[in-house]
Amino acid sequence: KIMQGQIFGEAGSRIVIEELLEGEEASILAFCDGSTAKLMVSSQDHKRIFDNDKGPNTGGMGAYSPAPVVTKEMELRIEKEVMLPVLHEMKRRGTPYTGILYAGLMIRGIDFKVLEFNCRFGDPECQAVLPRLETDLVDILLACIEGRLAGQEVKWNKGAATCVVIASAGYPDKYQKGEEIKGLEKAAKMKDVVVFHAGTKKDGPKVVTNGGRVLGITAAGLTIAESIKKAYDAVSLISFEGMQYRKDIGKRALDRGK
C-alpha cells in the first residue's frame, strides 16, 4: 500500500531500515514550566485495532493507568534521563518549554528507549491519567505558566483507571457516520465512570457518530482489574450500528497479576 499504492505519496518511495525495538510500550507525561518537570502517573495505550495487538495501527483503542511495566525506580530514571535533559537543552537554546511533555517509551526489562515526544496530552492516555489527579488541574497549569511548578503540589490517588475506546465500523480506514448512539445516559450515571465524547454530534434530540473513534469510556477502581470490569460494564450499556472496540484493554497488567 505504501510503496505501490503510494497511499502516503512520495514518502513511500524511500525505505529506512531501523533496529527492531522489542519490549512493552508505555507513556509518561509530565507537567513542565521550562525548568521543572513533574511526572504524571504512568499509562499504557493499545494502538492496534483488534485484540491481541492485531490489525493496523490507530490513534489508540484504550489505555489504563498505572502501567506496571514502569516501576518507581524507572520513573526516577525517566525524569532524570529523559524529561529534564529535554528541558535543560531547550532552555539552553533560548526556547524554554512550558506545557505537557509526552514521552512514548519502549521498555524491556530494566532498560528503555524513547520512541517519540509529543507536546500535548496523549489520547487516550489522558482519559486514564487525569481521573486519578487529586490536585486541581488549573492550579498546576497556572504554576507551569508562571514558572513555579517546583513548589506546586501534584497529588494522585493510589487507585487505577481504564479507558476503552469505542470506534465506528471500518475504522481506521473508511468508516460510517450518522449512527444513533444509545445508552449514553445509563453509562454516564454509573459510579466512577466518565463518558468522553470524541467523534459524536447532536442530531436533534439524538447523539450520532461523527468520527472514527467515537467515545472513550473511563472507569476508576481500587485496582486495574476493578477499573477494567467497570469500564466494560459501562461499554455494555452503549450501542450503535457497527460499533467496535477491543475486549482486551489492560490484559498485560492482568497478566502481571495487577
Side-chain angles (χ1 to χ4, degrees):
K1 287 182 178 179
I2 294 172
M3 298 189 71
Q4 295 179 332
Q6 293 283 294
I7 59 172
F8 298 128
E10 283 300 309
S13 62
R14 186 163 176 255
I15 295 175
V16 178
I17 298 176
E18 298 180 325
E19 173 190 0
L20 171 64
L21 296 182
E22 296 180 296
E24 193 171 334
E25 282 193 57
S27 303
I28 297 290
L29 289 76
F31 296 109
C32 305
D33 71 353
S35 300
T36 299
K38 290 205 172 185
L39 271 57
M40 302 183 209
V41 288
S42 62
S43 61
Q44 187 174 80
D45 189 10
H46 298 64
K47 293 290 187 190
R48 303 279 185 159
I49 185 66
F50 301 127
D51 289 359
N52 301 311
D53 295 324
K54 303 294 184 182
N57 272 336
T58 70
M61 291 302 295
Y64 64 91
S65 174
V69 70
V70 181
T71 63
K72 288 295 181 185
E73 294 76 17
M74 189 169 290
E75 282 185 359
L76 293 173
R77 284 185 57 203
I78 292 167
E79 180 182 359
K80 182 180 178 180
E81 300 174 24
V82 179
M83 298 300 190
L84 289 179
V86 170
L87 293 188
H88 293 162
E89 176 61 16
M90 294 192 70
K91 190 174 183 179
R92 186 192 69 79
R93 295 184 182 194
T95 55
Y97 180 71
T98 299
I100 308 302
L101 185 59
Y102 165 128
L105 306 169
M106 180 67 80
I107 299 171
R108 188 177 186 185
I110 61 172
D111 295 319
F112 60 83
K113 293 189 177 181
V114 178
L115 296 174
E116 62 175 347
F117 285 113
N118 289 305
C119 299
R120 56 171 171 78
F121 280 111
D123 174 12
E125 293 96 333
C126 179
Q127 291 93 305
V129 167
L130 286 189
R132 298 186 55 205
L133 181 63
E134 293 186 349
T135 308
D136 193 311
L137 178 61
V138 173
D139 291 342
I140 301 170
L141 297 180
L142 190 59
C144 290
I145 294 168
E146 296 177 349
R148 51 178 179 82
L149 183 62
Q152 171 64 50
E153 179 184 47
V154 179
K155 190 176 180 182
W156 305 89
N157 70 40
K158 297 185 183 301
T162 298
C163 175
V164 178
V165 170
I166 300 176
S168 296
Y171 177 78
D173 294 317
K174 188 176 180 181
Y175 50 81
Q176 300 169 199
K177 291 183 180 181
E179 302 292 348
E180 182 180 1
I181 307 169
K182 298 179 180 178
L184 288 172
E185 291 185 2
K186 284 185 179 179
K189 287 179 181 177
M190 286 183 62
K191 189 174 184 296
D192 299 323
V193 169
V194 181
V195 176
F196 291 102
H197 287 245
T200 68
K201 73 173 184 178
K202 278 288 194 75
D203 181 10
K206 301 185 294 184
V207 177
V208 300
T209 64
N210 194 45
R213 291 189 297 166
V214 178
L215 300 163
I217 311 301
T218 297
L222 295 176
T223 64
I224 294 174
E226 183 181 323
S227 69
I228 290 171
K229 183 181 184 306
K230 285 184 182 178
Y232 279 109
D233 285 347
V235 168
S236 70
L237 299 174
I238 296 171
S239 64
F240 60 83
E241 185 68 30
M243 168 173 141
Q244 63 169 330
Y245 59 93
R246 282 184 57 159
K247 317 295 192 301
D248 64 345
I249 302 301
K251 182 178 182 298
R252 284 198 181 98
L254 296 181
D255 289 345
R256 290 173 178 269
K258 304 297 180 180

